[in-house]
Amino acid sequence: MVVAGGSGFIGSHLCEALLARGHRVLDLDDHSTGRVSNVAHLRDNDRFVLLEGDVTDEDIEGRVAAVIGRNKKDKKTKRSKRTKNKKK
Ligand SMILES: NC(=O)c1ccc[n+]([C@@H]2O[C@H](COP(=O)([O-])OP(=O)(O)OC[C@H]3O[C@@H](n4cnc5c(N)ncnc54)[C@H](O)[C@@H]3O)[C@@H](O)[C@H]2O)c1
């Protein structure tokens, strides 16, 4: 799920609620009024990603897709490293 304004007052609570329901969450925020500190407690969650950007930017779709793709790749790498370590 992409939460535009996820670092804001309402958005940060929405991010929390979606994570609690098992969703993967991308917080897209330009931090014009919201703060990173509102979502600091979520940043260790593997299912949470923060992307700083303006939702009205022309290239935002590509940036979101790139972050989602990169995150999936990181998870696969972590998983395969864990599997390799178990086999040793
Ligand atoms: N403790 C409290 O009770 C408390 C605290 C803060 C706010 N409030 C109230 O909550 C309401 C405001 O909350 P909110 O969540 O609607 O506002 P907010 O400003 O907290 O959240 C909006 C978020 O959207 C982001 N944003 C704005 N334009 C953007 C864009 N183009 N692209 C990407 N991100 C963008 C902002 O950076 C911000 O993080 C007000 O009524 C306020 O008085 C209450």
Side-chain angles (χ1 to χ4, degrees):
M1 299 257 180
V2 175
V3 179
S7 301
F9 178 61
I10 294 169
S12 58
H13 287 93
L14 181 58
C15 288
E16 257 176 45
L18 291 168
L19 287 167
R21 282 163 179 73
H23 294 285
R24 285 183 290 128
V25 174
L26 186 147
D27 168 11
L28 169 63
D29 202 300
D30 65 357
H31 297 124
S32 50
T33 59
R35 296 191 210 129
V36 174
S37 60
N38 286 339
V39 289
H41 60 298
L42 305 177
R43 298 193 75 175
D44 285 340
N45 191 320
D46 280 353
R47 289 181 283 110
F48 179 77
V49 187
L50 176 61
L51 173 63
E52 187 165 270
D54 188 323
V55 75
T56 63
D57 279 353
E58 274 181 30
D59 67 340
I60 201 64
E61 211 174 310
R63 288 186 63 204
V64 167
V67 170
I68 291 172
R70 196 165 57 226
N71 205 39
K72 276 186 184 165
K73 208 173 163 187
D74 287 350
K75 270 191 204 154
K76 268 189 193 166
T77 312
K78 272 188 197 168
R79 227 184 351 252
S80 69
K81 274 186 186 165
R82 272 202 299 265
T83 313
K84 273 184 193 165
N85 286 340
K86 273 186 187 171
K87 284 180 184 170
K88 282 182 186 173

